[in-house]
């Protein structure tokens, strides 16, 4: 295992999505993931007792915004869809398969590095 990859906190990886789209993703570290989950957890006090409630939809949006840098091949009514926070929230809350893909992919550094290697080999 090459630990130098773990020391690079802002590497970006182009990953194919579907037949004709690509998504540029940042690897999300375990520390970042914990922070995202913390932000998606609401703490309330009910009858002086602490109660925490996790909001998975908010977590998906926060993770999408942290991980998705850019995309290609996404359209909106035939026009190119820009990669905006609002567009990211839309796909992360309304497209189950895409949200699961992002959730699984951005924490899997081995997969991301493998995709990068495949792209380099393909373009050589």
């Amino acid at each position: 295992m090459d630990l130098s990859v773990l020391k690079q906190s802002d590497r970006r990886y182009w990953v194919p999505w579907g037949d004709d789209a690509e998504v540029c993703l940042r690897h999300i570290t375990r520390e970042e993931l914990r922070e995202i989950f913390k932000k998606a957890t609401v703490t309330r006090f009910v009858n002086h007792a602490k109660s925490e409630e996790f909001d998975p939809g908010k977590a998906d949006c926060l993770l999408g915004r942290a991980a998705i840098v850019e995309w290609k091949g996404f359209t909106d009514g035939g026009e190119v869809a820009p990669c905006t926070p609002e567009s990211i929230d839309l796909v992360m809350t309304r497209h189950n398969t895409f949200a699961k893909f992002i959730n699984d992919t951005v924490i899997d550094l081995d997969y991301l590095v493998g995709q990068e290697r495949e792209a380099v080999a393909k373009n050589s």
Side-chain angles (χ1 to χ4, degrees):
M1 173 190 260
D2 182 6
L3 297 181
S4 67
V5 175
L6 299 174
K7 296 176 185 176
Q8 300 169 4
S9 62
D10 197 33
R11 283 193 55 187
R12 293 154 188 235
Y13 306 87
W14 281 98
V15 179
W17 165 252
D19 293 332
D20 56 354
E22 289 182 283
V23 185
C24 181
L25 300 172
R26 282 184 55 249
H27 172 250
I28 300 299
T29 64
R30 293 184 59 76
E31 293 84 8
E32 287 178 281
L33 191 60
R34 283 187 203 101
E35 282 300 311
I36 288 168
F37 285 174
K38 185 176 178 181
K39 288 177 184 176
T41 301
V42 176
T43 303
R44 293 191 178 105
F45 290 90
V46 179
N47 296 328
H48 305 289
K50 184 178 179 179
S51 171
E52 293 186 337
E53 186 175 320
F54 181 71
D55 183 343
K58 184 175 182 178
D60 283 345
C61 290
L62 290 169
L63 181 62
R65 287 183 179 206
I68 300 170
V69 178
E70 186 58 70
W71 59 40
K72 298 175 189 171
F74 285 67
T75 59
D76 183 359
E79 300 292 320
V80 173
C83 184
T84 63
E86 296 77 20
S87 294
I88 292 170
D89 289 351
L90 180 66
V91 295
M92 291 300 291
T93 58
R94 302 243 176 127
H95 197 299
N96 292 337
T97 307
F98 182 81
K100 182 176 179 347
F101 166 75
I102 296 299
N103 285 325
D104 293 345
T105 303
V106 299
I107 60 173
D108 189 345
L109 186 58
D110 291 334
Y111 176 79
L112 292 170
V113 170
Q115 287 296 307
E116 181 178 64
R117 285 184 187 140
E118 283 182 27
V120 169
K122 187 186 221 182
N123 294 328
S124 295

